[in-house]
């Protein structure tokens, strides 16, 4: 599978390199040597693959520095953004789900309304609205750049992470609500309540735990969307993370840079998916890692 | 014996509003050259950020273009793009899904793996790689999003086809010796068509969002062409505190997406035979 991904990601660097500039013949020869462009495709591919395994993705054409050092600068921003967003998704989504599942009537209706609103508003619209409301009108939070150092970085990433999280957390709230409701209405919960076990105890030990597997499935399904959303949010708030690098690379035809980021994104997507699967198997013994045994 | 009837489509007030929104958008998109007060491009920078007036009902944007006209012309790529995405994804996805459901075994597994592979590429990444190779523009964006949607249309259709596979009417067709193609096109597809249309309607909304997002981050439609995604991503206007175009375009996107999602869900509610 990874082999297929790599073949796809390798693409055709020659066309991109010569497509948007008219260099001198010496420069062409130098570039060809630098990027092994005069080698046959499979040789090129093999060189790129072996270098990539050692963490060497070659030099960026635009920035004229090693791609790996560019990635090292940008990665902490994107990682912090995704972690903060994921924390918000879980916190907001679970709280809303629990409230909606336990309190029928008004709280349930409010969560249903808010979540359907949040799901139908795209991430970039949220990002722009947050910029206008908090950055421009209220002026309480920074909306441009990623900041430096602990607290400054945190406050700079607060709005971007929220914009990234809101849609997924609404989806999580919905799925969580119906999963918990199903558990609450099930016979085993009715039995426990009838036996006089305190309701918060029943909820924590039986309802909440049993509704976790479908929630994990939603989180797993949202991973590609979360990564795509990172690129959008980084652009909206001008964060200078991996997504910003990707766009800069695409617009400049910087093949080594885009290749490296593509590989990175695919690896992260697949790894996160596998991690969620493992967690899923730990929570639900019926789900075996080997599939169906 | 009475024939099994589909549950009638219940639209409700919200459904009719959604239809009205979609019809309005389509009419505006088609009639943009006659309805729009100005041309969507070619404005003068001297007329930048003019307040609403008779000639510019919503004022002008950073380039001095009429905002209302840009909204109206912007409806064209914003509706045509997702339509092409959905049609492409269905044309490729449905046959693959039917083959997968009917042949089963190795073919089914191989197709499943291939879909997993595509699923590992977020839409933005597919678009980025495609733009790098063939260049930026509406066609590249449409093809990229279609590729990203094929796993979804295929999986949903396959599940539905598998569910129908063992129903009596399909078995009856097989006993009568009908060819596989005849069963699929004359019996299976008509029976799951409403489900497919419902999913396509919902996907239309998502495709509109994805397409606008690509234009927003600068790898979709090329400015100064009028497009809602480009209008929302107008950072210069936001920085200068002029939000009219941004908010109006965002409102258009949300209204159309909401309408399509609602209609898709209504269709889906009644998509199975009673």
């Amino acid at each position: 599978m990874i082999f297929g991904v790599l073949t796809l990601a390798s693409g055709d660097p020659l066309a991109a390199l010569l497509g948007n500039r008219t260099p001198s013949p010496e420069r062409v020869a130098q570039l060809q040597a630098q990027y092994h462009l005069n080698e046959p495709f499979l040789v090129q591919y093999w060189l790129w693959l072996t270098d990539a395994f050692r963490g060497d993705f070659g030099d960026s054409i635009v920035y004229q520095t090693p791609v790996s050092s560019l990635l090292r600068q940008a990665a902490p921003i994107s990682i912090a953004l995704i972690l903060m967003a994921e924390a918000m998704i879980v916190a907001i989504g679970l709280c809303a789900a629990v409230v909606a599942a336990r309190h029928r009537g008004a709280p349930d209706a409010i969560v249903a309304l808010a979540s359907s609103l949040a799901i139908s508003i795209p991430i970039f619209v949220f990002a722009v609205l947050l910029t206008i409301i908090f950055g421009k009108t209220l002026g309480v939070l920074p909306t441009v750049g990623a900041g430096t150092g602990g607290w400054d970085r945190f406050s700079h990433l607060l709005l971007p992470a929220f914009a990234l999280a809101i849609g997924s957390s609404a989806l999580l709230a919905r799925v969580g609500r119906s999963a918990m409701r199903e558990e609450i209405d099930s016979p085993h919960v009715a039995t426990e309540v009838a036996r006089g076990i305190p309701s918060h105890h029943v909820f924590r030990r039986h309802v909440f735990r049993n509704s976790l597997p479908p929630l994990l499935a939603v989180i797993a399904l949202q991973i590609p969307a979360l990564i795509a959303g990172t690129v959008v949010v980084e652009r909206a708030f001008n964060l200078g993370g991996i997504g910003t690098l990707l766009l800069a690379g695409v617009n400049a035809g910087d093949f080594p840079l885009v290749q490296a980021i593509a590989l990175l994104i695919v690896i992260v997507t697949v790894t996160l998916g596998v991690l969620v699967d493992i967690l899923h198997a730990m929570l639900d013994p019926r789900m075996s890692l080997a599939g169906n045994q | 014996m009475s024939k099994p009837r589909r549950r009638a489509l219940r639209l409700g007030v919200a459904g009719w509003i959604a239809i009205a929104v979609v019809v309005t958008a389509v009419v505006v998109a088609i009639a943009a050259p006659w309805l729009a007060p100005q041309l969507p491009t070619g404005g003068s920078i001297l007329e930048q950020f003019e307040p609403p007036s008779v000639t510019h009902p919503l004022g002008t944007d950073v380039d001095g273009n009429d905002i209302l006209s840009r909204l109206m012309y912007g409806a064209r790529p914003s509706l045509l793009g997702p339509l092409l995405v959905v049609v492409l994804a269905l044309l490729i996805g449905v046959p693959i899904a039917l083959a997968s459901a009917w042949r089963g075994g190795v073919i089914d597994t191989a197709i499943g793996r291939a879909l997993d592979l595509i699923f590992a590429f977020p839409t933005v990444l597919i678009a980025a790689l495609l733009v790098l190779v063939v260049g930026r523009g509406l066609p590249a964006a449409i093809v990229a999003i279609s590729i990203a949607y094929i796993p979804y249309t295929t999986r949903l259709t396959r599940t539905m086809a598998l569910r129908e596979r063992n129903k009596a009417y399909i078995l009856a067709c097989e006993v009568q010796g009908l060819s596989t193609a005849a069963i699929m096109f004359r019996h299976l597809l008509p029976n799951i068509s409403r489900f497919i249309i419902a999913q396509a309607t919902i996907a239309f909304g998502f495709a509109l969002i994805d397409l606008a997002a690509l234009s927003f981050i600068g790898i979709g439609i090329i400015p100064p062409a009028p497009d809602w995604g480009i209008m929302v991503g107008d950072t210069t206007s936001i920085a200068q505190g002029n939000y009219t175009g941004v908010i109006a375009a965002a409102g258009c996107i949300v209204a159309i997406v909401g309408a399509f999602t609602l209609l898709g869900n209504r269709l889906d509610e009644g998509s199975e035979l009673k």
Side-chain angles (χ1 to χ4, degrees):
Chain A
M1 175 162 164
I2 288 291
F3 182 82
V5 173
L6 293 180
T7 321
L8 258 169
S10 301
D12 178 19
L14 195 67
L17 261 179
L18 303 179
N20 46 4
R21 53 174 76 187
T22 45
S24 63
E26 304 90 70
R27 181 81 182 121
V28 172
Q30 190 209 334
L31 275 175
Q32 280 185 336
Q34 193 180 349
Y35 297 106
H36 308 295
L37 291 184
N38 41 5
E39 309 279 357
F41 174 74
L42 279 176
V43 176
Q44 261 184 49
Y45 175 59
W46 174 247
L47 285 171
W48 180 74
L49 190 67
T50 45
D51 282 349
F53 263 113
R54 286 186 278 109
D56 177 8
F57 295 104
D59 288 354
S60 156
I61 296 172
V62 181
Y63 296 96
Q64 292 296 325
T65 47
V67 169
S68 49
S69 73
L70 286 173
L71 291 183
R72 221 170 292 133
Q73 280 173 9
I77 298 170
S78 300
I79 292 171
L81 178 66
I82 289 180
L83 287 182
M84 277 176 70
E86 196 60 67
M88 284 184 186
I89 291 171
V90 173
I92 300 173
L94 280 189
C95 288
V98 169
V99 168
R102 295 196 71 169
H103 307 278
R104 290 166 205 260
D108 190 19
I110 291 170
V111 169
L113 184 71
S115 65
S116 50
L117 250 177
I119 288 173
S120 54
I121 299 180
I123 288 183
F124 60 90
V125 169
F126 260 120
V128 166
L129 288 181
L130 288 175
T131 307
I132 293 175
I133 296 170
F134 288 96
K136 291 286 164 190
T137 314
L138 299 175
V140 284
L141 281 169
T143 53
V144 175
T148 46
W151 176 250
D152 193 36
R153 170 66 54 86
F154 180 78
S155 66
H156 272 84
L157 289 185
L158 212 51
L159 287 181
F162 186 64
L164 192 52
I166 193 79
S168 294
S169 64
L171 204 63
L172 198 65
R174 270 196 177 179
V175 176
R177 176 208 167 270
S178 50
M180 289 176 195
R181 213 22 104 60
E182 204 171 290
E183 286 296 320
I184 289 176
D185 294 338
S186 71
H188 77 94
V189 170
T191 315
E192 280 146 10
V193 173
R195 281 171 61 197
I197 301 171
S199 74
H200 63 91
H201 191 84
V202 172
F203 192 83
R204 224 178 31 233
R205 289 283 295 277
H206 301 278
V207 176
F208 190 70
R209 248 201 100 150
N210 279 342
S211 59
L212 282 181
L215 290 179
L216 270 177
V218 173
I219 292 177
L221 272 176
Q222 287 290 301
I223 289 171
L226 191 68
I227 298 208
T230 307
V231 180
V232 173
V233 164
E234 282 185 14
R235 160 82 178 206
F237 292 95
N238 208 356
L239 294 182
I242 298 284
T244 319
L245 269 186
L246 176 71
L247 294 178
V250 168
N251 285 328
D254 193 338
F255 239 89
L257 183 61
V258 176
Q259 273 177 354
I261 294 176
L263 181 68
L264 193 71
I265 289 182
V266 171
I267 288 177
V268 168
T269 313
V270 172
T271 316
L272 284 178
V274 170
L275 277 180
V276 174
D277 276 353
I278 293 175
L279 214 63
H280 203 157
M282 279 163 61
L283 279 170
D284 189 350
R286 286 170 302 179
M287 286 277 295
S288 157
L289 270 185
N292 34 17
Q293 278 180 357
Chain B
M1 213 173 98
S2 66
K3 280 167 74 181
R5 296 279 292 275
R6 281 173 199 284
R7 212 184 306 166
L9 185 58
R10 274 201 219 96
L11 281 170
V13 181
W16 283 110
I17 294 175
I19 287 183
V21 167
V22 173
V23 169
T24 311
V26 170
V27 169
V28 167
I30 294 171
W34 299 281
L35 288 176
Q38 311 282 329
L39 283 174
T41 52
S44 161
I45 196 126
L46 295 172
E47 298 175 2
Q48 191 186 37
F49 297 138
E50 278 192 6
S53 62
V54 183
T55 38
H56 303 294
L58 287 176
T60 57
D61 68 0
V62 63
D63 298 317
N65 290 317
D66 181 59
I67 290 177
L68 183 65
S69 307
R70 282 185 73 75
L71 274 182
M72 289 176 156
Y73 276 95
R76 297 180 147 196
S78 302
L79 294 177
L80 192 64
L83 182 70
L84 290 174
V85 166
V86 168
V87 169
L88 265 176
L90 285 181
L91 279 181
I92 300 171
V94 170
I96 296 178
L98 292 183
S100 187
W102 238 254
R103 298 281 166 206
V106 185
I107 293 178
D108 193 23
T109 316
I111 290 175
R113 284 289 138 78
L115 295 180
D116 281 342
L117 186 72
I118 301 178
F119 192 71
F121 285 83
T123 315
V124 171
L125 187 55
I126 298 177
L129 291 173
L130 202 64
V131 166
L132 192 62
V133 177
V134 304
R136 183 160 77 121
L138 187 59
I142 289 174
V143 171
I145 300 173
S146 306
I147 294 174
Y149 280 25
I150 286 172
Y152 294 97
T153 50
T154 311
R155 287 241 169 83
L156 288 168
T157 312
R158 176 182 167 276
T159 312
M160 202 64 186
L162 276 181
R163 210 181 289 168
E164 297 289 303
R165 175 102 175 77
N166 292 319
K167 284 193 179 167
Y169 76 97
I170 297 280
L171 294 177
C173 290
E174 284 184 335
V175 168
Q176 284 173 31
L178 286 180
S179 72
T180 314
I183 297 176
M184 280 184 184
F185 290 107
R186 263 190 250 138
H187 300 275
L188 178 72
L189 273 183
N191 271 305
I192 62 173
S193 62
R194 178 150 160 193
F195 171 79
I196 294 178
I197 291 171
Q199 298 308 324
T201 311
I202 297 173
F204 185 100
F206 288 119
L208 202 164
I209 291 182
D210 283 341
L211 199 63
L214 290 185
S215 298
F216 176 84
I217 61 176
I219 58 174
I221 294 166
I222 307 165
D227 173 74
W228 295 344
I230 294 175
M231 291 177 77
V232 179
D234 184 2
T235 41
T236 329
S237 299
I238 297 172
Q240 298 189 13
N242 198 303
Y243 312 130
T244 320
V246 174
I247 302 274
C252 287
I253 293 174
V254 173
I256 303 286
V257 172
F260 270 95
T261 312
L262 189 120
L263 288 176
N265 286 332
R266 288 279 192 280
L267 275 168
D268 191 34
E269 279 163 14
S271 69
E272 284 198 68
L273 290 174
K274 234 178 180 176

